[in-house]
Amino acid sequence: MTRSTVIDEGYGKFTAKQALLVIANYFVGYILIYQIVAEKLSKVFFGVSRGIHPVMNFILHFFTIVTMLMIIWKPLLRSWREFTKDKKLVQNIIIVFKNMGLLYLTNIVVNIIIMLVLGLDGSSENQIAVESALKSNVLVVGFMVVIFAPLVEEFVFRGVLYQYFRSKQSFIVPVLISVLLFGLIHVLPEVLNSGNYLEFIYLLQYCPMAYFMIRSLEMTDSIFGSIGVHFLNNLIGFLVITFIK
């Protein structure tokens, strides 16, 4: 995999304080506190006895994006300048599409293995849950899938759990950490809920996604390379589920 000399020098890297705030905002704020607050407000303002009202769900995810941007807007601005400087924008967009194409081909091979060799359906429980949610509220869930996930998950998994631990001396281990944690965050909750350990096989779907996002980041010298691949992947999935399935 191409290694970025720009990222080697720490350009666009979050500070230690920013990294800790991003992690806390995601794992403590978004996953725990914001969800509880949204449930309480859904009950007060919309009379929802259980769960989160779509309006509050949108506010929850929008609020998380805004707070993330408030924390890391300076390194993101530097990364954007790197992504677009010296007429690199078109070249970097092509790189993003190439990595998306490689990811798509990899997914085809992985799905064939899962379906034919293991006799399982090609859709993980996480994917099934997203498809079901889209049927109930396409706008809010579409925002979560197409906008929220590519931004916030990249800030966390490539911005912190990859770039922050990456250095001139350490390259492979941060790749493995980011790839594995990205896969687990999408698979492990369903394993714990259902007790079905076969769900771990879907790491074969999510881990390559993380790899090609990292590859795009390295090739474009910017986190916007990984955001671009994540965005395209989720956008295509959203369009297929909404207008074809």
Side-chain angles (χ1 to χ4, degrees):
M1 181 171 66
T2 303
R3 179 169 177 159
S4 169
T5 56
V6 173
I7 296 177
D8 274 342
E9 299 302 323
Y11 194 81
K13 180 180 177 181
F14 303 165
T15 66
K17 180 180 178 180
Q18 289 169 335
L20 288 173
L21 288 173
V22 166
I23 292 297
N25 196 28
Y26 184 75
F27 289 102
V28 180
Y30 168 69
I31 291 180
L32 181 61
I33 297 174
Y34 304 161
Q35 302 279 345
I36 294 172
V37 172
E39 285 186 10
K40 298 292 185 183
L41 293 178
S42 294
K43 185 175 182 179
V44 171
F45 292 106
F46 299 99
V48 176
S49 59
R50 186 176 181 181
I52 302 174
H53 189 274
V55 172
M56 292 309 307
N57 209 10
F58 173 80
I59 293 173
L60 156 70
H61 287 83
F62 183 76
F63 176 79
T64 304
I65 292 175
V66 171
T67 52
M68 287 290 190
L69 293 176
M70 290 173 64
I71 295 169
I72 54 174
W73 69 271
K74 287 184 178 180
L76 285 180
L77 182 59
R78 288 194 291 270
S79 289
W80 177 250
R81 287 171 177 166
E82 187 64 37
F83 191 76
T84 59
K85 79 172 187 180
D86 300 330
K87 299 180 180 179
K88 285 174 58 179
L89 180 60
V90 174
Q91 173 186 334
N92 284 338
I93 289 175
I94 292 172
I95 289 172
V96 168
F97 273 92
K98 284 183 177 179
N99 279 294
M100 181 60 225
L102 291 171
L103 171 57
Y104 185 79
L105 293 175
T106 302
N107 281 339
I108 292 175
V109 174
V110 168
N111 287 337
I112 290 174
I113 293 172
I114 291 174
M115 288 187 287
L116 296 184
V117 177
L118 299 173
L120 297 174
D121 185 80
S123 298
S124 67
E125 288 298 326
N126 180 74
Q127 179 69 19
I128 294 171
V130 170
E131 293 179 10
S132 177
L134 277 170
K135 293 177 182 178
S136 62
N137 199 307
V138 67
L139 292 179
V140 174
V141 179
F143 173 79
M144 292 163 54
V145 170
V146 179
I147 304 299
F148 174 85
L151 289 175
V152 173
E153 289 184 1
E154 291 310 299
F155 297 160
V156 174
F157 292 98
R158 258 56 69 185
V160 177
L161 298 176
Y162 174 65
Q163 280 198 80
Y164 189 75
F165 296 104
R166 182 196 183 286
S167 67
K168 293 179 181 179
Q169 295 75 34
S170 179
F171 179 62
I172 302 301
V173 173
V175 170
L176 295 176
I177 290 173
S178 180
V179 166
L180 184 59
L181 288 180
F182 182 78
L184 287 173
I185 202 71
H186 289 86
V187 173
L188 188 58
E190 296 301 332
V191 173
L192 295 176
N193 286 335
S194 65
N196 181 11
Y197 293 101
L198 285 177
E199 280 292 310
F200 279 122
I201 195 63
Y202 293 106
L203 287 173
L204 293 175
Q205 290 180 334
Y206 290 106
C207 289
M209 287 174 57
Y211 171 79
F212 284 108
M213 291 166 194
I214 292 173
R215 189 172 187 268
S216 186
L217 180 151
E218 293 285 348
M219 293 177 70
T220 61
D221 302 322
S222 170
I223 195 173
F224 286 94
S226 63
I227 290 173
V229 173
H230 203 151
F231 169 78
L232 285 176
N233 178 77
N234 287 20
L235 176 63
I236 292 170
F238 168 74
L239 294 175
V240 168
I241 293 169
T242 304
F243 297 106
I244 298 178
K245 280 197 172 185

